[in-house]
Amino acid sequence: MKIIMAIMLASFISVATAETELTEEQIASIKVGAGNFLTCSVAIRSSFSMMDTIPDAVDENGDPVEIRLHAIAEQVYQSALVALMDVGVEESVVEDMTAGKRTQWLYLEEHEKSDILKVCSESLSGGK
């Protein structure tokens, strides 16, 4: 699935940071991308119940599968966490960032939440 590709990309970033010296610009880009992953994780968790699934999801053989949105949100969070920790951000700071994003989510207008979910959906599915 394309969502898995996005998560693998974050894992690749993690491996790349461990094997090479990065410029400040590259580190900043990784932080922005991982921050966006955190936003998507918060958006998904805050918008859907733990039981919500991707409708009509199928595996590579075309067989129906159940993919829970909260499981995807957790994978996205973990990918962001690893990428941020690989560029020197402590786990407690990532947790604080995530808590801040949860608080910000509460104060967004419905159209703003919808826009964020649309961008996250496109990003995690390999769209635009």
Side-chain angles (χ1 to χ4, degrees):
M1 301 192 88
K2 291 180 181 180
I3 293 169
I4 302 303
M5 290 180 358
I7 293 167
M8 288 172 52
L9 175 61
S11 298
F12 172 75
I13 290 170
S14 175
V15 170
T17 59
E19 294 179 356
T20 61
E21 294 242 355
L22 299 173
T23 66
E24 289 299 315
E25 185 176 309
Q26 290 169 321
I27 291 171
S29 290
I30 290 170
K31 287 179 178 179
V32 168
N36 291 340
F37 265 29
L38 290 179
T39 298
C40 289
S41 176
V42 167
I44 293 167
R45 288 177 194 259
S46 299
S47 300
F48 300 96
S49 82
M50 290 186 72
M51 300 307 290
D52 284 334
T53 61
I54 295 175
D56 304 321
V58 294
D59 65 13
E60 59 276 353
N61 298 323
D63 297 324
V65 292
E66 181 179 85
I67 301 174
R68 294 198 178 188
L69 293 172
H70 276 238
I72 292 170
E74 179 61 21
Q75 290 174 326
V76 170
Y77 173 82
Q78 290 299 321
S79 294
L81 174 64
V82 168
L84 287 167
M85 289 177 64
D86 283 350
V87 293
V89 179
E90 293 183 20
E91 185 172 3
S92 62
V93 173
V94 176
E95 290 169 357
D96 290 345
M97 290 168 58
T98 305
K101 289 177 182 292
R102 284 189 192 113
T103 301
Q104 290 171 337
W105 184 262
L106 297 173
Y107 295 99
L108 294 175
E109 299 289 331
E110 288 304 314
H111 72 277
E112 294 170 317
K113 291 178 181 181
S114 176
D115 290 346
I116 290 170
L117 284 168
K118 181 179 178 190
V119 170
C120 288
S121 173
E122 290 170 354
S123 297
L124 294 175
S125 66
K128 293 184 185 179

